[in-house]
Amino acid sequence: MSTIDEATLLAYLRCHYRVLGELPFTLKIGEQSAALLALYERLDSNCAAFLTACNPRGELLDDEANHGIQSTLMRDIAARGHAGIAGVGEDPDGDWRGEDSVLVPGMDLATAMAIGDAYGQNALVWAGPDARPQLILLR
């Protein structure tokens, strides 16, 4: 059972998870992504994690603090041998500000969960071989 309140959970489920790289695309929970499948093929991968370090445990931080912890996350990802593609998690209605994020092709679910937990996140997005993003709750 999750400790995440219903409004926050619904926001995560409705969020647009935008991947910004040279071939930008948007991930939506439960919807298979042809663009993600194509990325898997280009990178010889079969999974990906969409992560952020911003606003741990849903506590709003200022831009400077979020930028600092997101930069640390990016260094952690690189130290684990992964390349990330910049992204942003956005409310489709624009009611809340987007969070800097990163898509990490090839990151398995266990590693993604460990990183999300280490950065105090409530949840993360992960997609397996079917390229259908799932909301993975950590709290």
Side-chain angles (χ1 to χ4, degrees):
M1 178 128 204
S2 176
T3 61
I4 303 168
D5 67 84
E6 187 174 342
T8 301
L9 182 58
L10 289 174
Y12 293 161
L13 291 169
R14 292 186 62 245
C15 187
H16 288 182
Y17 299 94
R18 293 186 38 229
V19 180
L20 303 177
E22 67 183 63
L23 298 172
F25 58 95
T26 300
L27 299 172
K28 295 178 184 175
I29 301 300
E31 295 182 19
Q32 187 176 52
S33 171
L36 184 56
L37 281 170
L39 181 66
Y40 285 175
E41 189 171 316
R42 282 195 312 277
L43 300 178
D44 192 29
S45 183
N46 68 354
C47 61
F50 193 93
L51 303 166
T52 187
C54 295
N55 303 318
R57 290 180 178 74
E59 305 274 333
L60 295 178
L61 300 181
D62 63 40
D63 289 345
E64 185 177 339
N66 277 327
H67 179 73
I69 57 177
Q70 187 69 15
S71 294
T72 302
L73 171 65
M74 297 299 289
R75 286 191 299 275
D76 272 0
I77 289 167
R80 293 171 185 261
H82 292 283
I85 303 169
V88 62
E90 293 182 328
D91 174 16
D93 298 327
D95 289 339
W96 47 268
R97 191 168 184 194
E99 290 183 340
D100 288 341
S101 302
V102 59
L103 180 76
V104 188
M107 181 173 281
D108 64 78
L109 180 56
T111 301
M113 290 176 71
I115 290 172
D117 191 53
Y119 283 85
Q121 294 302 300
N122 290 331
L124 60 91
V125 175
W126 188 81
D130 65 357
R132 188 176 309 274
Q134 307 168 50
L135 183 66
I136 306 297
L137 302 179
L138 301 174
R139 308 238 176 276

